[in-house]
PDB file of all heavy atoms in Angstrom:
ATOM      1  N   VAL P 203      -3.026   9.982 -14.733  1.00  0.00           N
ATOM      2  CA  VAL P 203      -2.053   9.579 -15.761  1.00  0.00           C
ATOM      3  C   VAL P 203      -2.327   8.149 -16.228  1.00  0.00           C
ATOM      4  O   VAL P 203      -2.055   7.810 -17.385  1.00  0.00           O
ATOM      5  CB  VAL P 203      -0.598   9.714 -15.247  1.00  0.00           C
ATOM      6  CG1 VAL P 203      -0.281  11.152 -14.902  1.00  0.00           C
ATOM      7  CG2 VAL P 203      -0.318   8.799 -14.064  1.00  0.00           C
ATOM      8  N   ARG P 204      -2.874   7.331 -15.359  1.00  0.00           N
ATOM      9  CA  ARG P 204      -3.225   5.967 -15.784  1.00  0.00           C
ATOM     10  C   ARG P 204      -4.324   6.001 -16.838  1.00  0.00           C
ATOM     11  O   ARG P 204      -4.268   5.285 -17.836  1.00  0.00           O
ATOM     12  CB  ARG P 204      -3.661   5.143 -14.572  1.00  0.00           C
ATOM     13  CG  ARG P 204      -3.951   3.686 -14.907  1.00  0.00           C
ATOM     14  CD  ARG P 204      -4.275   2.870 -13.676  1.00  0.00           C
ATOM     15  NE  ARG P 204      -4.546   1.502 -14.044  1.00  0.00           N
ATOM     16  CZ  ARG P 204      -3.624   0.552 -14.197  1.00  0.00           C
ATOM     17  NH1 ARG P 204      -2.359   0.838 -14.013  1.00  0.00           N
ATOM     18  NH2 ARG P 204      -3.960  -0.672 -14.535  1.00  0.00           N
ATOM     19  N   GLU P 205      -5.331   6.836 -16.615  1.00  0.00           N
ATOM     20  CA  GLU P 205      -6.417   6.949 -17.594  1.00  0.00           C
ATOM     21  C   GLU P 205      -5.937   7.601 -18.883  1.00  0.00           C
ATOM     22  O   GLU P 205      -6.517   7.376 -19.948  1.00  0.00           O
ATOM     23  CB  GLU P 205      -7.581   7.734 -17.005  1.00  0.00           C
ATOM     24  CG  GLU P 205      -8.302   7.023 -15.871  1.00  0.00           C
ATOM     25  CD  GLU P 205      -8.828   5.652 -16.270  1.00  0.00           C
ATOM     26  OE1 GLU P 205      -9.192   5.472 -17.449  1.00  0.00           O
ATOM     27  OE2 GLU P 205      -8.868   4.765 -15.408  1.00  0.00           O
ATOM     28  N   LEU P 206      -4.886   8.416 -18.789  1.00  0.00           N
ATOM     29  CA  LEU P 206      -4.338   9.031 -19.996  1.00  0.00           C
ATOM     30  C   LEU P 206      -3.908   7.959 -20.996  1.00  0.00           C
ATOM     31  O   LEU P 206      -4.089   8.113 -22.209  1.00  0.00           O
ATOM     32  CB  LEU P 206      -3.151   9.921 -19.625  1.00  0.00           C
ATOM     33  CG  LEU P 206      -2.514  10.734 -20.752  1.00  0.00           C
ATOM     34  CD1 LEU P 206      -3.514  11.735 -21.311  1.00  0.00           C
ATOM     35  CD2 LEU P 206      -1.266  11.451 -20.246  1.00  0.00           C
ATOM     36  N   GLY P 207      -3.354   6.861 -20.488  1.00  0.00           N
ATOM     37  CA  GLY P 207      -2.961   5.766 -21.367  1.00  0.00           C
ATOM     38  C   GLY P 207      -4.143   5.135 -22.070  1.00  0.00           C
ATOM     39  O   GLY P 207      -4.044   4.748 -23.245  1.00  0.00           O
ATOM     40  N   THR P 208      -5.288   5.044 -21.385  1.00  0.00           N
ATOM     41  CA  THR P 208      -6.465   4.438 -22.005  1.00  0.00           C
ATOM     42  C   THR P 208      -7.094   5.354 -23.049  1.00  0.00           C
ATOM     43  O   THR P 208      -7.899   4.901 -23.865  1.00  0.00           O
ATOM     44  CB  THR P 208      -7.524   4.070 -20.942  1.00  0.00           C
ATOM     45  OG1 THR P 208      -8.058   5.269 -20.362  1.00  0.00           O
ATOM     46  CG2 THR P 208      -6.924   3.202 -19.851  1.00  0.00           C
ATOM     47  N   VAL P 209      -6.742   6.646 -22.996  1.00  0.00           N
ATOM     48  CA  VAL P 209      -7.240   7.580 -24.004  1.00  0.00           C
ATOM     49  C   VAL P 209      -6.311   7.634 -25.213  1.00  0.00           C
ATOM     50  O   VAL P 209      -6.751   7.632 -26.361  1.00  0.00           O
ATOM     51  CB  VAL P 209      -7.413   8.985 -23.393  1.00  0.00           C
ATOM     52  CG1 VAL P 209      -7.792  10.001 -24.465  1.00  0.00           C
ATOM     53  CG2 VAL P 209      -8.471   8.960 -22.296  1.00  0.00           C
ATOM     54  N   LEU P 210      -5.009   7.667 -24.961  1.00  0.00           N
ATOM     55  CA  LEU P 210      -4.051   7.775 -26.057  1.00  0.00           C
ATOM     56  C   LEU P 210      -3.765   6.431 -26.724  1.00  0.00           C
ATOM     57  O   LEU P 210      -3.461   6.372 -27.918  1.00  0.00           O
ATOM     58  CB  LEU P 210      -2.732   8.370 -25.534  1.00  0.00           C
ATOM     59  CG  LEU P 210      -2.800   9.776 -24.952  1.00  0.00           C
ATOM     60  CD1 LEU P 210      -1.422  10.199 -24.447  1.00  0.00           C
ATOM     61  CD2 LEU P 210      -3.325  10.764 -25.980  1.00  0.00           C
ATOM     62  N   GLY P 211      -3.856   5.350 -25.953  1.00  0.00           N
ATOM     63  CA  GLY P 211      -3.467   4.038 -26.472  1.00  0.00           C
ATOM     64  C   GLY P 211      -4.308   3.516 -27.620  1.00  0.00           C
ATOM     65  O   GLY P 211      -3.763   3.082 -28.655  1.00  0.00           O
ATOM     66  N   PRO P 212      -5.647   3.526 -27.525  1.00  0.00           N
ATOM     67  CA  PRO P 212      -6.458   2.953 -28.610  1.00  0.00           C
ATOM     68  C   PRO P 212      -6.269   3.618 -29.968  1.00  0.00           C
ATOM     69  O   PRO P 212      -6.102   2.908 -30.978  1.00  0.00           O
ATOM     70  CB  PRO P 212      -7.895   3.100 -28.082  1.00  0.00           C
ATOM     71  CG  PRO P 212      -7.746   3.048 -26.593  1.00  0.00           C
ATOM     72  CD  PRO P 212      -6.467   3.781 -26.317  1.00  0.00           C
ATOM     73  N   PRO P 213      -6.280   4.969 -30.089  1.00  0.00           N
ATOM     74  CA  PRO P 213      -6.057   5.540 -31.427  1.00  0.00           C
ATOM     75  C   PRO P 213      -4.673   5.221 -31.984  1.00  0.00           C
ATOM     76  O   PRO P 213      -4.527   4.953 -33.184  1.00  0.00           O
ATOM     77  CB  PRO P 213      -6.216   7.054 -31.207  1.00  0.00           C
ATOM     78  CG  PRO P 213      -6.920   7.203 -29.922  1.00  0.00           C
ATOM     79  CD  PRO P 213      -6.572   6.019 -29.106  1.00  0.00           C
ATOM     80  N   LEU P 214      -3.663   5.228 -31.095  1.00  0.00           N
ATOM     81  CA  LEU P 214      -2.311   4.891 -31.545  1.00  0.00           C
ATOM     82  C   LEU P 214      -2.257   3.450 -32.016  1.00  0.00           C
ATOM     83  O   LEU P 214      -1.648   3.132 -33.057  1.00  0.00           O
ATOM     84  CB  LEU P 214      -1.319   5.136 -30.406  1.00  0.00           C
ATOM     85  CG  LEU P 214       0.154   4.892 -30.706  1.00  0.00           C
ATOM     86  CD1 LEU P 214       0.616   5.722 -31.888  1.00  0.00           C
ATOM     87  CD2 LEU P 214       1.003   5.196 -29.475  1.00  0.00           C
ATOM     88  N   ALA P 215      -2.913   2.559 -31.275  1.00  0.00           N
ATOM     89  CA  ALA P 215      -2.957   1.154 -31.684  1.00  0.00           C
ATOM     90  C   ALA P 215      -3.691   0.996 -33.010  1.00  0.00           C
ATOM     91  O   ALA P 215      -3.296   0.193 -33.854  1.00  0.00           O
ATOM     92  CB  ALA P 215      -3.639   0.317 -30.604  1.00  0.00           C
ATOM     93  N   GLY P 216      -4.774   1.766 -33.185  1.00  0.00           N
ATOM     94  CA  GLY P 216      -5.503   1.700 -34.455  1.00  0.00           C
ATOM     95  C   GLY P 216      -4.635   2.106 -35.633  1.00  0.00           C
ATOM     96  O   GLY P 216      -4.652   1.452 -36.684  1.00  0.00           O
ATOM     97  N   LEU P 217      -3.837   3.164 -35.457  1.00  0.00           N
ATOM     98  CA  LEU P 217      -2.929   3.600 -36.522  1.00  0.00           C
ATOM     99  C   LEU P 217      -1.896   2.529 -36.845  1.00  0.00           C
ATOM    100  O   LEU P 217      -1.649   2.207 -38.014  1.00  0.00           O
ATOM    101  CB  LEU P 217      -2.218   4.891 -36.100  1.00  0.00           C
ATOM    102  CG  LEU P 217      -3.041   6.185 -36.167  1.00  0.00           C
ATOM    103  CD1 LEU P 217      -2.299   7.310 -35.459  1.00  0.00           C
ATOM    104  CD2 LEU P 217      -3.320   6.554 -37.617  1.00  0.00           C
ATOM    105  N   LEU P 218      -1.276   1.970 -35.808  1.00  0.00           N
ATOM    106  CA  LEU P 218      -0.235   0.962 -36.021  1.00  0.00           C
ATOM    107  C   LEU P 218      -0.815  -0.331 -36.581  1.00  0.00           C
ATOM    108  O   LEU P 218      -0.201  -0.978 -37.435  1.00  0.00           O
ATOM    109  CB  LEU P 218       0.493   0.688 -34.702  1.00  0.00           C
ATOM    110  CG  LEU P 218       1.304   1.863 -34.134  1.00  0.00           C
ATOM    111  CD1 LEU P 218       1.841   1.523 -32.744  1.00  0.00           C
ATOM    112  CD2 LEU P 218       2.455   2.210 -35.070  1.00  0.00           C
ATOM    113  N   PHE P 219      -2.007  -0.707 -36.110  1.00  0.00           N
ATOM    114  CA  PHE P 219      -2.654  -1.916 -36.621  1.00  0.00           C
ATOM    115  C   PHE P 219      -2.987  -1.757 -38.098  1.00  0.00           C
ATOM    116  O   PHE P 219      -2.794  -2.687 -38.895  1.00  0.00           O
ATOM    117  CB  PHE P 219      -3.916  -2.210 -35.815  1.00  0.00           C
ATOM    118  CG  PHE P 219      -4.584  -3.508 -36.173  1.00  0.00           C
ATOM    119  CD1 PHE P 219      -4.261  -4.675 -35.496  1.00  0.00           C
ATOM    120  CD2 PHE P 219      -5.541  -3.571 -37.181  1.00  0.00           C
ATOM    121  CE1 PHE P 219      -4.875  -5.878 -35.819  1.00  0.00           C
ATOM    122  CE2 PHE P 219      -6.156  -4.764 -37.513  1.00  0.00           C
ATOM    123  CZ  PHE P 219      -5.819  -5.921 -36.831  1.00  0.00           C
ATOM    124  N   ALA P 220      -3.480  -0.582 -38.472  1.00  0.00           N
ATOM    125  CA  ALA P 220      -3.797  -0.335 -39.880  1.00  0.00           C
ATOM    126  C   ALA P 220      -2.554  -0.402 -40.745  1.00  0.00           C
ATOM    127  O   ALA P 220      -2.605  -0.826 -41.910  1.00  0.00           O
ATOM    128  CB  ALA P 220      -4.471   1.032 -40.027  1.00  0.00           C
ATOM    129  N   ALA P 221      -1.410  -0.011 -40.172  1.00  0.00           N
ATOM    130  CA  ALA P 221      -0.166   0.010 -40.939  1.00  0.00           C
ATOM    131  C   ALA P 221       0.489  -1.356 -41.035  1.00  0.00           C
ATOM    132  O   ALA P 221       1.006  -1.733 -42.095  1.00  0.00           O
ATOM    133  CB  ALA P 221       0.810   1.009 -40.325  1.00  0.00           C
ATOM    134  N   SER P 222       0.477  -2.128 -39.933  1.00  0.00           N
ATOM    135  CA  SER P 222       1.259  -3.371 -39.956  1.00  0.00           C
ATOM    136  C   SER P 222       0.646  -4.528 -39.179  1.00  0.00           C
ATOM    137  O   SER P 222       1.291  -5.568 -39.024  1.00  0.00           O
ATOM    138  CB  SER P 222       2.667  -3.108 -39.413  1.00  0.00           C
ATOM    139  OG  SER P 222       2.592  -2.676 -38.064  1.00  0.00           O
ATOM    140  N   GLY P 223      -0.557  -4.389 -38.651  1.00  0.00           N
ATOM    141  CA  GLY P 223      -1.179  -5.507 -37.959  1.00  0.00           C
ATOM    142  C   GLY P 223      -0.882  -5.533 -36.470  1.00  0.00           C
ATOM    143  O   GLY P 223      -0.281  -4.606 -35.909  1.00  0.00           O
ATOM    144  N   ALA P 224      -1.285  -6.635 -35.826  1.00  0.00           N
ATOM    145  CA  ALA P 224      -1.235  -6.719 -34.366  1.00  0.00           C
ATOM    146  C   ALA P 224       0.162  -6.961 -33.813  1.00  0.00           C
ATOM    147  O   ALA P 224       0.449  -6.589 -32.677  1.00  0.00           O
ATOM    148  CB  ALA P 224      -2.166  -7.840 -33.888  1.00  0.00           C
ATOM    149  N   ARG P 225       1.040  -7.599 -34.576  1.00  0.00           N
ATOM    150  CA  ARG P 225       2.340  -7.997 -34.020  1.00  0.00           C
ATOM    151  C   ARG P 225       3.149  -6.795 -33.524  1.00  0.00           C
ATOM    152  O   ARG P 225       3.756  -6.845 -32.448  1.00  0.00           O
ATOM    153  CB  ARG P 225       3.145  -8.773 -35.061  1.00  0.00           C
ATOM    154  CG  ARG P 225       2.548 -10.122 -35.421  1.00  0.00           C
ATOM    155  CD  ARG P 225       3.446 -10.857 -36.405  1.00  0.00           C
ATOM    156  NE  ARG P 225       2.791 -12.047 -36.928  1.00  0.00           N
ATOM    157  CZ  ARG P 225       2.852 -13.241 -36.336  1.00  0.00           C
ATOM    158  NH1 ARG P 225       3.519 -13.379 -35.213  1.00  0.00           N
ATOM    159  NH2 ARG P 225       2.232 -14.284 -36.872  1.00  0.00           N
ATOM    160  N   LEU P 226       3.179  -5.734 -34.303  1.00  0.00           N
ATOM    161  CA  LEU P 226       3.954  -4.556 -33.908  1.00  0.00           C
ATOM    162  C   LEU P 226       3.408  -3.971 -32.610  1.00  0.00           C
ATOM    163  O   LEU P 226       4.185  -3.614 -31.711  1.00  0.00           O
ATOM    164  CB  LEU P 226       3.922  -3.512 -35.017  1.00  0.00           C
ATOM    165  CG  LEU P 226       4.596  -2.161 -34.693  1.00  0.00           C
ATOM    166  CD1 LEU P 226       6.068  -2.357 -34.372  1.00  0.00           C
ATOM    167  CD2 LEU P 226       4.406  -1.181 -35.841  1.00  0.00           C
ATOM    168  N   VAL P 227       2.101  -3.865 -32.495  1.00  0.00           N
ATOM    169  CA  VAL P 227       1.498  -3.280 -31.295  1.00  0.00           C
ATOM    170  C   VAL P 227       1.798  -4.142 -30.075  1.00  0.00           C
ATOM    171  O   VAL P 227       2.158  -3.629 -29.005  1.00  0.00           O
ATOM    172  CB  VAL P 227      -0.021  -3.121 -31.483  1.00  0.00           C
ATOM    173  CG1 VAL P 227      -0.633  -2.442 -30.253  1.00  0.00           C
ATOM    174  CG2 VAL P 227      -0.332  -2.311 -32.732  1.00  0.00           C
ATOM    175  N   LEU P 228       1.669  -5.446 -30.211  1.00  0.00           N
ATOM    176  CA  LEU P 228       1.954  -6.342 -29.090  1.00  0.00           C
ATOM    177  C   LEU P 228       3.442  -6.305 -28.719  1.00  0.00           C
ATOM    178  O   LEU P 228       3.796  -6.378 -27.538  1.00  0.00           O
ATOM    179  CB  LEU P 228       1.524  -7.766 -29.446  1.00  0.00           C
ATOM    180  CG  LEU P 228       0.007  -7.955 -29.622  1.00  0.00           C
ATOM    181  CD1 LEU P 228      -0.291  -9.333 -30.196  1.00  0.00           C
ATOM    182  CD2 LEU P 228      -0.715  -7.767 -28.298  1.00  0.00           C
ATOM    183  N   GLY P 229       4.302  -6.179 -29.719  1.00  0.00           N
ATOM    184  CA  GLY P 229       5.729  -6.051 -29.434  1.00  0.00           C
ATOM    185  C   GLY P 229       6.037  -4.772 -28.670  1.00  0.00           C
ATOM    186  O   GLY P 229       6.862  -4.765 -27.741  1.00  0.00           O
ATOM    187  N   LEU P 230       5.366  -3.672 -29.022  1.00  0.00           N
ATOM    188  CA  LEU P 230       5.551  -2.420 -28.291  1.00  0.00           C
ATOM    189  C   LEU P 230       5.032  -2.534 -26.858  1.00  0.00           C
ATOM    190  O   LEU P 230       5.616  -1.965 -25.928  1.00  0.00           O
ATOM    191  CB  LEU P 230       4.843  -1.280 -29.020  1.00  0.00           C
ATOM    192  CG  LEU P 230       5.484  -0.831 -30.338  1.00  0.00           C
ATOM    193  CD1 LEU P 230       4.598   0.207 -31.023  1.00  0.00           C
ATOM    194  CD2 LEU P 230       6.876  -0.251 -30.077  1.00  0.00           C
ATOM    195  N   ASP P 231       3.949  -3.279 -26.679  1.00  0.00           N
ATOM    196  CA  ASP P 231       3.438  -3.510 -25.326  1.00  0.00           C
ATOM    197  C   ASP P 231       4.478  -4.241 -24.482  1.00  0.00           C
ATOM    198  O   ASP P 231       4.736  -3.884 -23.322  1.00  0.00           O
ATOM    199  CB  ASP P 231       2.144  -4.310 -25.387  1.00  0.00           C
ATOM    200  CG  ASP P 231       1.520  -4.531 -24.016  1.00  0.00           C
ATOM    201  OD1 ASP P 231       1.583  -3.602 -23.184  1.00  0.00           O
ATOM    202  OD2 ASP P 231       0.973  -5.614 -23.774  1.00  0.00           O
ATOM    203  N   ALA P 232       5.093  -5.275 -25.058  1.00  0.00           N
ATOM    204  CA  ALA P 232       6.153  -5.991 -24.341  1.00  0.00           C
ATOM    205  C   ALA P 232       7.301  -5.043 -23.985  1.00  0.00           C
ATOM    206  O   ALA P 232       7.863  -5.106 -22.882  1.00  0.00           O
ATOM    207  CB  ALA P 232       6.670  -7.158 -25.196  1.00  0.00           C
ATOM    208  N   LEU P 233       7.631  -4.149 -24.902  1.00  0.00           N
ATOM    209  CA  LEU P 233       8.713  -3.191 -24.649  1.00  0.00           C
ATOM    210  C   LEU P 233       8.370  -2.244 -23.509  1.00  0.00           C
ATOM    211  O   LEU P 233       9.240  -1.906 -22.688  1.00  0.00           O
ATOM    212  CB  LEU P 233       9.001  -2.407 -25.926  1.00  0.00           C
ATOM    213  CG  LEU P 233      10.158  -1.399 -25.863  1.00  0.00           C
ATOM    214  CD1 LEU P 233      11.470  -2.104 -25.550  1.00  0.00           C
ATOM    215  CD2 LEU P 233      10.262  -0.634 -27.181  1.00  0.00           C
ATOM    216  N   THR P 234       7.105  -1.810 -23.407  1.00  0.00           N
ATOM    217  CA  THR P 234       6.731  -0.899 -22.319  1.00  0.00           C
ATOM    218  C   THR P 234       6.918  -1.561 -20.960  1.00  0.00           C
ATOM    219  O   THR P 234       7.317  -0.900 -19.991  1.00  0.00           O
ATOM    220  CB  THR P 234       5.269  -0.423 -22.456  1.00  0.00           C
ATOM    221  OG1 THR P 234       4.376  -1.539 -22.377  1.00  0.00           O
ATOM    222  CG2 THR P 234       5.052   0.314 -23.765  1.00  0.00           C
ATOM    223  N   PHE P 235       6.649  -2.862 -20.871  1.00  0.00           N
ATOM    224  CA  PHE P 235       6.873  -3.555 -19.606  1.00  0.00           C
ATOM    225  C   PHE P 235       8.359  -3.558 -19.243  1.00  0.00           C
ATOM    226  O   PHE P 235       8.726  -3.363 -18.073  1.00  0.00           O
ATOM    227  CB  PHE P 235       6.355  -4.996 -19.681  1.00  0.00           C
ATOM    228  CG  PHE P 235       4.852  -5.108 -19.722  1.00  0.00           C
ATOM    229  CD1 PHE P 235       4.222  -5.768 -20.764  1.00  0.00           C
ATOM    230  CD2 PHE P 235       4.077  -4.561 -18.723  1.00  0.00           C
ATOM    231  CE1 PHE P 235       2.838  -5.871 -20.806  1.00  0.00           C
ATOM    232  CE2 PHE P 235       2.692  -4.660 -18.747  1.00  0.00           C
ATOM    233  CZ  PHE P 235       2.077  -5.317 -19.797  1.00  0.00           C
ATOM    234  N   LEU P 236       9.205  -3.779 -20.220  1.00  0.00           N
ATOM    235  CA  LEU P 236      10.646  -3.799 -19.947  1.00  0.00           C
ATOM    236  C   LEU P 236      11.159  -2.416 -19.545  1.00  0.00           C
ATOM    237  O   LEU P 236      12.039  -2.300 -18.683  1.00  0.00           O
ATOM    238  CB  LEU P 236      11.396  -4.300 -21.183  1.00  0.00           C
ATOM    239  CG  LEU P 236      11.139  -5.759 -21.587  1.00  0.00           C
ATOM    240  CD1 LEU P 236      11.874  -6.078 -22.880  1.00  0.00           C
ATOM    241  CD2 LEU P 236      11.560  -6.715 -20.475  1.00  0.00           C
ATOM    242  N   VAL P 237      10.594  -1.380 -20.140  1.00  0.00           N
ATOM    243  CA  VAL P 237      11.051  -0.020 -19.851  1.00  0.00           C
ATOM    244  C   VAL P 237      10.767   0.367 -18.397  1.00  0.00           C
ATOM    245  O   VAL P 237      11.572   1.072 -17.768  1.00  0.00           O
ATOM    246  CB  VAL P 237      10.373   0.976 -20.824  1.00  0.00           C
ATOM    247  CG1 VAL P 237      10.560   2.418 -20.360  1.00  0.00           C
ATOM    248  CG2 VAL P 237      10.939   0.804 -22.225  1.00  0.00           C
ATOM    249  N   VAL P 238       9.637  -0.089 -17.837  1.00  0.00           N
ATOM    250  CA  VAL P 238       9.255   0.359 -16.495  1.00  0.00           C
ATOM    251  C   VAL P 238       9.883  -0.479 -15.381  1.00  0.00           C
ATOM    252  O   VAL P 238       9.813  -0.083 -14.210  1.00  0.00           O
ATOM    253  CB  VAL P 238       7.720   0.382 -16.334  1.00  0.00           C
ATOM    254  CG1 VAL P 238       7.101   1.397 -17.274  1.00  0.00           C
ATOM    255  CG2 VAL P 238       7.116  -0.991 -16.559  1.00  0.00           C
ATOM    256  N   ILE P 239      10.495  -1.605 -15.702  1.00  0.00           N
ATOM    257  CA  ILE P 239      11.097  -2.432 -14.650  1.00  0.00           C
ATOM    258  C   ILE P 239      12.164  -1.682 -13.863  1.00  0.00           C
ATOM    259  O   ILE P 239      12.170  -1.733 -12.619  1.00  0.00           O
ATOM    260  CB  ILE P 239      11.650  -3.747 -15.249  1.00  0.00           C
ATOM    261  CG1 ILE P 239      10.494  -4.667 -15.667  1.00  0.00           C
ATOM    262  CG2 ILE P 239      12.547  -4.470 -14.243  1.00  0.00           C
ATOM    263  CD1 ILE P 239      10.931  -5.918 -16.399  1.00  0.00           C
ATOM    264  N   PRO P 240      13.110  -0.959 -14.505  1.00  0.00           N
ATOM    265  CA  PRO P 240      14.095  -0.205 -13.707  1.00  0.00           C
ATOM    266  C   PRO P 240      13.452   0.827 -12.780  1.00  0.00           C
ATOM    267  O   PRO P 240      13.983   1.099 -11.693  1.00  0.00           O
ATOM    268  CB  PRO P 240      14.974   0.470 -14.767  1.00  0.00           C
ATOM    269  CG  PRO P 240      14.812  -0.368 -15.989  1.00  0.00           C
ATOM    270  CD  PRO P 240      13.401  -0.856 -15.949  1.00  0.00           C
TER     271      PRO P 240
END
Side-chain angles (χ1 to χ4, degrees):
V203 298
R204 184 176 180 86
E205 292 303 328
L206 185 63
T208 67
V209 174
L210 298 178
L214 182 56
L217 284 169
L218 294 173
F219 186 91
S222 62
R225 293 183 189 272
L226 175 60
V227 183
L228 294 171
L230 289 174
D231 183 38
L233 183 61
T234 62
F235 289 123
L236 294 176
V237 167
V238 296
I239 289 174

